Amino acid sequence: MKKNELYTYVTLSLAMLVPSPARFAYGLVMIVMLNILILVGTIFRKLVNNFFYDDLQNVLITVLLISFCILFKQVIVIYSPIIALTLGILFFMPVLTSFVLGNLYNKSEKPLIDDLVANLSKSLAFSLYSLIFFAIRDIFGYGTLSFPIPEGIHAIKIFDNQTSSCVGIFFSSIPGGIILFTLMILLFSYTMKNLEIIATSEDK
Amino acid sequence: MLQNLFYYLIYSSVVLVYGIGIERAGALSKKQNRLFIKAIKMLICVTSTTSLSYLFVKGLLVPAGYADLYPFFTILIFISISVFVETIIRITSKVSANEFGTSLLFIFISLSEGLSLADSVLISCICVLSLFATIPIIYSIHYRLDLNAFKKESDKTSYVLISLAIIMLILLFWNNTWLNMGAYK
């Protein structure tokens, strides 16, 4: 992971992770949607490059991704109306994230398989990071780990009858979310810097 | 009207609490040339798209029962208006004021949270105002960090984010639900 990618993680976290509710269930739904959008967007970009004018690429891909968001929202409404109501406007946040992460602005010259592998590996790395983020917020904030079910969310209690303080629940709030992901990014960049130092000293 | 203004500007600021446009505010505070033209362009696009989409949705989609398809039509209207205004601005002042993601989300918020046409347009104006009111704050944090010899971008980013989180805590002083114990009882 290069330094550039770490900086885009800051932008993407601000766009998608911070505004969402702090439960693992909602994070799971949004990450599934992000992966589907990147997959569909990559395939559609290849189609647009082959059959339409280059100028129309961004417009067509955007319209397609927004249509998929609407479709996905209706599927979630059928499965669990409470989750759809809570997430509301957040269904449209992964569109911007998928544009930046999948690099869908630029034309691609590589074959479809290479594009798919590159984009899906990037999105899986981001999904892992986001799931850790949501899990920390859920476990330390509410003491539970939640999953989406048709009646809403099913919360599995992890900490029972603890008389601990309200420090943990701060991380479930929005400023707490910003501080949490800043700490995670700092940890990653510190680890990367040390790994680089080790790698360059081994070369010498 | 004042109630809406204070709600979307201070109590539950669109940029800070809804989380829309933080990265845009950060990017705009680094390159501050021609901010006024960008503000005017965003204001024109967002308000005109909101009003046209509201009338379209209320007049055509809601009676047909397809109200959930509003983002699709909104984006088509937005692209036409945005390209038109951007062409005029590029011809007259040679500045690129291209902006897509944040404006679109502002429009979605106004449409889903407005109670009437005037309400929706007012909310969209306040969204643009709150974005451009956050820019001086981020710029002043950058300036202060520059004075303290933080020259590299990557060092500054985490400090800017933590300062934003502290500002959010101050603005959200009325929300003490995080003092609840939750499942820890």
Side-chain angles (χ1 to χ4, degrees), chain A residues 6 181-193:
Chain A
L6 209 58
F181 96 77
T182 311
L183 290 174
M184 282 172 78
I185 299 264
L186 278 176
L187 185 68
F188 283 166
S189 71
Y190 181 71
T191 319
M192 261 173 42
K193 228 191 297 188

Side-chain angles (χ1 to χ4, degrees), chain A residues 7 11 14 19 59 62-63 66-67 70 74 89 92 96 139-140 142 161-162 164 169 174-175 178-179 182 186, chain B residues 17-20 23 30 68 71-72 75 79 100-101 105 108 112 157-158 161 165 168 178 180-181 183-185:
Chain A
Y7 193 67
T11 323
L14 281 174
V59 171
T62 313
V63 171
I66 297 264
S67 313
I70 302 175
Q74 296 308 311
I89 203 88
F92 303 104
L96 312 174
I139 293 178
F140 288 109
Y142 299 109
N161 292 330
Q162 290 279 340
S164 76
I169 205 166
I174 297 180
I178 291 191
I179 292 188
T182 311
L186 278 176
Chain B
V17 173
Y18 282 82
I20 296 172
E23 70 275 8
K30 285 180 200 157
D68 274 328
F72 184 69
I75 199 175
I79 288 175
F100 175 69
L105 284 169
F108 287 156
S112 50
T157 313
S158 19
L161 288 171
M168 256 194 250
W178 62 279
N180 285 339
M181 296 294 216
Y184 293 113
K185 271 273 177 61

Side-chain angles (χ1 to χ4, degrees), chain B residues 3-185:
Chain B
Q3 222 173 1
N4 265 340
L5 176 76
F6 283 124
Y7 179 74
Y8 284 103
L9 195 59
I10 297 178
Y11 301 148
S12 161
S13 160
V14 176
V15 175
L16 296 179
V17 173
Y18 282 82
I20 296 172
I22 298 184
E23 70 275 8
R24 189 74 195 148
L28 283 174
S29 67
K30 285 180 200 157
K31 308 188 202 175
Q32 305 112 28
N33 50 341
R34 312 297 199 107
L35 268 183
F36 189 62
I37 293 186
K38 293 183 182 168
I40 295 282
K41 190 246 177 188
M42 194 187 262
L43 192 64
I44 294 177
C45 284
V46 169
T47 48
S48 42
T49 312
T50 309
S51 45
L52 283 175
S53 308
Y54 187 91
L55 294 169
F56 189 86
V57 167
K58 190 161 182 208
L60 286 179
L61 290 183
V62 168
Y66 291 139
D68 274 328
L69 289 182
Y70 76 91
F72 184 69
F73 296 99
T74 306
I75 199 175
L76 292 176
I77 299 176
F78 175 70
I79 288 175
S80 357
I81 294 183
S82 171
V83 166
F84 175 63
V85 175
E86 166 81 7
T87 317
I88 293 183
I89 289 185
R90 247 189 236 197
I91 291 178
T92 53
S93 70
K94 304 190 186 5
V95 165
S96 162
N98 209 2
E99 164 58 69
F100 175 69
T102 313
S103 310
L104 197 63
L105 284 169
F106 283 161
I107 296 168
F108 287 156
I109 282 198
S110 323
L111 284 178
S112 50
E113 303 204 355
L115 300 170
S116 63
L117 176 63
D119 210 18
S120 299
V121 174
L122 179 69
I123 291 176
S124 55
C125 292
I126 298 171
C127 289
V128 176
L129 176 66
S130 92
L131 175 72
F132 283 91
T134 318
I135 292 178
I137 300 177
I138 301 185
Y139 175 70
S140 58
I141 301 175
H142 272 291
Y143 185 71
R144 190 55 113 156
L145 291 174
D146 274 338
L147 283 180
N148 284 336
F150 276 97
K151 291 291 185 262
K152 273 176 27 168
E153 266 316 305
S154 48
D155 297 336
K156 280 201 275 187
T157 313
S158 19
Y159 282 98
V160 170
L161 288 171
I162 295 184
S163 317
L164 268 182
I166 296 177
I167 292 176
M168 256 194 250
L169 273 175
I170 297 172
L171 284 181
L172 286 175
F173 68 93
W174 51 271
N175 179 14
N176 54 1
T177 55
W178 62 279
L179 293 174
N180 285 339
M181 296 294 216
Y184 293 113
K185 271 273 177 61

